[in-house]
Amino acid sequence: MTRMIIAGAQLGAIQKSDSREVVVARMVDLMEQAAAKGAQMIVYPELALTTFFPRWYMPDWNEVDTWFEREMPNGATMPLFDRARELGMAMTFGYAELTPEGRRFNTSILTNRKGEIVGKYRKVHLPGHVEYDTERAFQHLEKRYFEPGDLGFNVWRNEGAIMGMAICNDRRWPETYRCMGLQGVELITIGYNTPSVNSQMSAEGLEKRLFHSDLSLQSGAYQNATYVVGVAKAGVEDGHPLMGGSIIVDPDGFVLARAETEEDELIFADCDFAKCAFGKSTIFDFARHRRVEHYGRITSQTGAVIAV
């Protein structure tokens, strides 16, 4: 398959009191709507099964672990996998993963159209902080509750295309896309939960945050000649607003579809993966044009070293 109709399944707010079963029922409903319109793959957001719990400081790790999944699929999510199999729908969604060894990751999985998991990604670029921050308007404790991902930026051949995943803050880092671009990626799916206001700069509101999200997704798509599907969890969760702005971007960086609400909403694009070939064989023909002898600083250094 070189062509696929992809649905981006934006989710509206998930409240702290909403059970996994309630959320999965919403996800199944969106999947059925997408299938009725011919979609063959559906993309859900980061932490799709729960509210964005890193906004709360929790000193009790037993409480923290109630937000994590110990296996996937599990009893609560099996209806989603079963329906995907019945409809012949590939999917990807994010969740909080607790491993048998007690490690915690912000994770997403990718399935084929048989409902089989073919890929797993763990978020690499964790934003936020570890301890309660009195200087912030609200907390963002991903560094407290998750380890940085340990699986790298892999791609998988799935349903006739080369697919990769990233999560939320990863979309702002060009290295994310380039690592997958160097593996010939043709589709990158990125779920996110992004507050509508910057917790450290209240003047930075929705307009600027949507612009930066678009800029990151569009540039990543263009510079690596790949489709990018960015899907939000949006709306007001227990008084905390998350922005929408889900989009599907083509390999030239143009937006093919855009969400208009902050509710449960589907967006669609007919993705012809053959269109990735032109950019990959011309301006972004890496084999001909990259000059790795000059890129050593990128992997040898983390923080900026200011020129004297």
Side-chain angles (χ1 to χ4, degrees):
M1 181 183 294
T2 60
R3 201 174 191 120
M4 178 179 282
I5 298 174
I6 297 178
Q10 179 172 288
L11 288 174
I14 298 173
Q15 307 305 334
K16 192 174 185 179
S17 59
D18 289 340
S19 69
R20 307 287 205 284
E21 289 76 13
V22 165
V23 177
V24 168
R26 286 167 56 183
M27 295 170 73
V28 169
D29 180 60
L30 286 167
M31 180 183 288
E32 291 173 343
Q33 292 180 50
K37 294 187 177 181
Q40 298 143 305
M41 180 174 182
I42 189 165
V43 181
Y44 297 101
E46 172 191 29
L47 297 177
L49 303 175
T50 66
T51 193
F52 185 71
F53 65 87
R55 66 170 61 94
W56 295 302
Y57 180 84
M58 293 176 278
D60 181 354
W61 285 92
N62 290 320
E63 179 184 1
V64 172
D65 287 345
T66 64
W67 300 105
F68 284 74
E69 315 303 318
R70 288 166 172 79
E71 57 183 357
M72 188 60 62
N74 55 35
T77 60
M78 189 60 76
L80 185 66
F81 283 80
D82 289 343
R83 196 67 180 121
R85 189 179 307 109
E86 293 164 1
L87 294 170
M89 183 85 73
M91 66 177 172
T92 175
F93 66 89
Y95 62 97
E97 177 192 10
L98 179 60
T99 73
E101 300 78 28
R103 303 178 71 190
R104 299 173 183 85
F105 296 100
N106 189 337
T107 296
S108 63
I109 53 98
L110 172 69
T111 77
N112 60 23
R113 296 179 70 186
K114 298 177 182 178
E116 300 165 336
I117 296 175
V118 298
K120 176 185 282 190
Y121 170 75
R122 291 168 172 162
K123 186 174 181 179
V124 169
H125 299 102
L126 297 176
H129 49 108
V130 175
E131 298 299 338
Y132 191 89
D133 186 349
T134 59
E135 300 299 317
R136 290 176 181 255
F138 51 88
Q139 303 301 295
H140 195 132
L141 291 154
E142 287 192 61
K143 287 186 184 294
R144 178 177 180 82
Y145 300 133
F146 302 118
E147 295 180 42
D150 62 349
L151 300 178
F153 296 105
N154 296 310
V155 302
W156 298 268
R157 290 190 175 273
N158 188 37
E159 301 298 339
I162 302 173
M163 302 183 183
M165 295 178 279
I167 299 175
C168 198
N169 191 43
D170 290 322
R171 75 191 188 276
R172 306 182 191 280
W173 298 83
E175 295 90 341
T176 296
Y177 305 91
R178 185 49 47 87
C179 285
M180 289 185 272
L182 286 166
Q183 300 170 78
V185 74
E186 296 167 321
L187 172 66
I188 299 175
T189 61
I190 304 177
Y192 59 92
N193 288 207
T194 300
S196 300
V197 177
N198 190 317
S199 67
Q200 295 175 287
M201 184 186 295
S202 59
E204 182 182 300
L206 186 59
E207 182 178 4
K208 182 180 285 188
R209 292 174 81 70
L210 286 169
F211 169 76
H212 285 155
S213 184
D214 287 356
L215 179 67
S216 300
L217 295 166
Q218 290 178 258
S219 60
Y222 168 64
Q223 291 171 350
N224 295 277
T226 182
Y227 287 93
V228 173
V229 182
V231 177
K233 173 128 66 61
V236 181
E237 293 190 338
D238 294 299
H240 297 270
L242 296 172
M243 74 181 206
S246 303
I247 59 174
I248 301 175
V249 186
D250 76 7
D252 286 319
F254 289 95
V255 176
L256 300 176
R258 182 186 297 276
E260 298 179 354
T261 73
E262 292 185 352
E263 306 294 333
D264 289 8
E265 180 181 352
L266 289 167
I267 58 175
F268 297 89
D270 185 353
C271 298
D272 181 356
F273 297 111
K275 291 184 177 179
C276 299
F278 181 76
K280 293 182 187 298
S281 62
T282 57
I283 191 168
F284 296 116
D285 182 342
F286 297 151
R288 281 197 294 154
H289 303 313
R290 294 188 78 237
R291 291 291 173 260
V292 295
E293 65 271 23
H294 299 296
Y295 305 158
R297 189 180 297 274
I298 291 176
T299 57
S300 65
Q301 181 180 322
T302 50
V305 177
I306 307 302
V308 178

